């Protein structure tokens, strides 16, 4: 008889959550776990939870402020594993403990010494917004963490003239680079520039023009809800798959949209437009005859 390899039943993959109850429960467990650990003097949440936008697919992102005498010996993974079993835990490219819990919820945990860590919050102005600081602060044994979070309760939208000028110039510079690497035949690099560098700049300028800057730091967040359909459709035409023809079309569409946004900003705020350079970039992106 031929040898038959035994079969083993595979467990069904864990379904992604349908509501935010799991996140709510884990946050409450984080609060209780931190309160029970005297080494932890403060816990600050950031991300969608602090904006009141958390849902079933949100991450658990937190800063753990640990007493200075204990911080060097503090095992962040061991602490986080008290919340739920982990499928993955590692130090990511930014030096942050990144985890995946057993229910596929993602998490990021900064472990910081209390004194310098809380003092650093003041440098987050215009980068982080805590509209509900008391909800963001899970634990504060000294009162300093809550006071620091309250300083970031007010959202300061970007100053439109300076931001529009910066974005206009950035778009010209990076799109010219796109034209060069595309002409060189580095299509993957051009594709990455289009999606990872140019598109976020376009979305920021578009948000500035539409008065929709709440998601300024992550301009693609809630794009479908924040911007008019026509802008979402223009964004779609400015990106595309990694084929030579599709990339050429997307790059031309992208620069056309950038120029229209820059012209709209110039009409509204008087920002400078290097029109000669803009024309040369358009020519560089045009297909060879």
């Amino acid at each position: 008889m031929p040898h038959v390899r035994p079969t083993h039943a595979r467990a069904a993959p864990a379904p992604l959550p349908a509501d935010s109850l799991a996140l709510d429960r884990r946050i409450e467990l984080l609060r209780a776990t931190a309160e029970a650990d005297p080494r932890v003097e403060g816990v600050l949440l950031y991300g969608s939870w602090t904006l009141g936008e958390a849902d079933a697919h949100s991450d658990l992102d937190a800063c753990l402020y640990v007493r200075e005498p204990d911080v060097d010996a503090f095992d962040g993974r061991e602490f986080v594993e008290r919340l739920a079993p982990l499928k993955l835990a590692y130090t990511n490219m930014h030096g942050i403990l990144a985890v995946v819990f057993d229910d596929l919820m993602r998490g990021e945990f900064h472990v910081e010494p209390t004194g310098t860590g809380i003092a650093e919050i003041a440098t987050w102005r215009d980068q982080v917004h805590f509209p509900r600081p008391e909800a963001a602060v899970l634990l504060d044994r000294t009162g300093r963490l809550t006071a620091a979070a309250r300083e970031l309760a007010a959202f300061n939208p970007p100053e439109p003239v300076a931001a529009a000028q910066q974005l206009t110039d950035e778009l010209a510079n990076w799109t010219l680079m796109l034209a060069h690497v595309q002409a060189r035949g580095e299509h993957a690099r051009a594709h990455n520039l289009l999606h990872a560098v140019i598109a976020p700049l376009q979305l920021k300028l578009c948000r500035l023009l539409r008065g929709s800057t709440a998601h300024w730091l992550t301009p693609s967040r809630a794009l479908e809800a924040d911007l008019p359909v026509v802008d979402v459709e223009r964004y779609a035409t400015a990106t595309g798959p990694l084929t030579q023809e599709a990339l050429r079309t997307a790059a031309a569409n992208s620069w056309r949209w950038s120029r229209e946004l820059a012209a709209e900003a110039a009409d509204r705020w008087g920002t400078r437009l290097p029109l000669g350079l803009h024309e040369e970039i358009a020519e560089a992106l045009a297909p060879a005859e």
Side-chain angles (χ1 to χ4, degrees):
M1 292 179 60
H3 177 72
V4 178
R5 186 182 299 274
T7 59
H8 300 280
R10 296 182 62 185
L16 293 176
D19 56 52
S20 62
L21 289 177
L23 178 62
D24 296 341
R25 288 193 294 265
R26 194 150 295 155
I27 286 173
E28 283 306 311
L29 180 55
L30 172 59
R31 185 198 308 272
T33 303
E35 286 178 346
D37 191 328
R39 300 173 300 170
V40 182
E41 295 191 315
V43 178
L44 179 69
L45 297 181
Y46 63 95
S48 58
W49 176 270
T50 65
L51 298 174
E53 298 178 354
D55 61 17
H57 305 290
S58 295
D59 306 333
L60 174 50
D61 303 319
C63 295
L64 307 176
Y65 295 100
V66 179
R67 286 175 8 108
E68 273 82 353
D70 300 313
V71 69
D72 289 339
F74 187 83
D75 187 338
R77 173 172 181 158
E78 184 278 330
F79 177 87
V80 173
E81 207 157 14
R82 299 181 210 171
L83 308 181
L86 302 178
K87 288 183 179 290
L88 177 68
Y90 73 104
T91 301
N92 70 12
M93 65 185 75
H94 304 295
I96 302 165
L97 174 62
V99 306
V100 175
F101 293 102
D102 61 343
D103 57 1
L104 300 186
M105 183 187 298
R106 298 174 61 253
E108 288 187 354
F109 295 85
H110 301 246
V111 177
E112 303 285 350
T114 300
T116 56
I118 292 178
E120 187 181 9
I121 294 174
T123 68
W124 299 355
R125 188 174 300 279
D126 300 329
Q127 301 178 51
V128 177
H129 178 212
F130 294 127
R132 304 178 302 152
E134 282 71 20
V137 176
L138 291 188
L139 174 67
D140 183 9
R141 299 192 197 273
T142 67
R144 287 180 292 165
L145 183 56
T146 302
R150 284 175 178 160
E151 291 298 314
L152 303 182
F155 175 66
N156 297 314
E159 195 284 314
V161 178
Q165 187 65 68
Q166 177 78 22
L167 290 165
T168 295
D169 295 341
E170 293 278 13
L171 283 167
N173 180 52
W174 288 108
T175 304
L176 180 56
M177 182 176 182
L178 166 68
H180 280 297
V181 299
Q182 183 174 259
R184 184 186 289 150
E186 292 185 280
H187 302 304
R189 189 179 178 194
H191 185 264
N192 181 67
L193 277 169
L194 193 62
H195 289 73
V197 179
I198 294 170
L201 295 170
Q202 289 172 321
L203 291 178
K204 281 193 170 186
L205 184 53
C206 189
R207 284 184 176 277
L208 196 66
L209 289 161
R210 307 296 177 255
S212 179
T213 56
H215 295 119
W216 182 254
L217 294 179
T218 309
S220 61
R221 182 179 178 85
L223 181 71
E224 298 82 357
D226 288 356
L227 293 181
V229 171
V230 64
D231 290 322
V232 178
E233 291 175 346
R234 288 302 297 276
Y235 169 74
T237 69
T239 54
L242 179 50
T243 66
Q244 187 170 345
E245 189 59 37
L247 181 60
R248 183 181 295 114
T249 299
N253 289 341
S254 172
W255 182 232
R256 190 176 300 114
W257 191 34
S258 292
R259 295 186 73 181
E260 290 175 14
L261 291 170
E264 187 177 345
D267 287 342
R268 186 178 305 181
W269 296 305
T271 48
R272 301 181 309 278
L273 290 178
L275 295 176
L277 175 61
H278 283 194
E279 287 293 340
E280 290 179 292
I281 293 172
E283 292 172 7
L285 289 171
E289 296 295 337

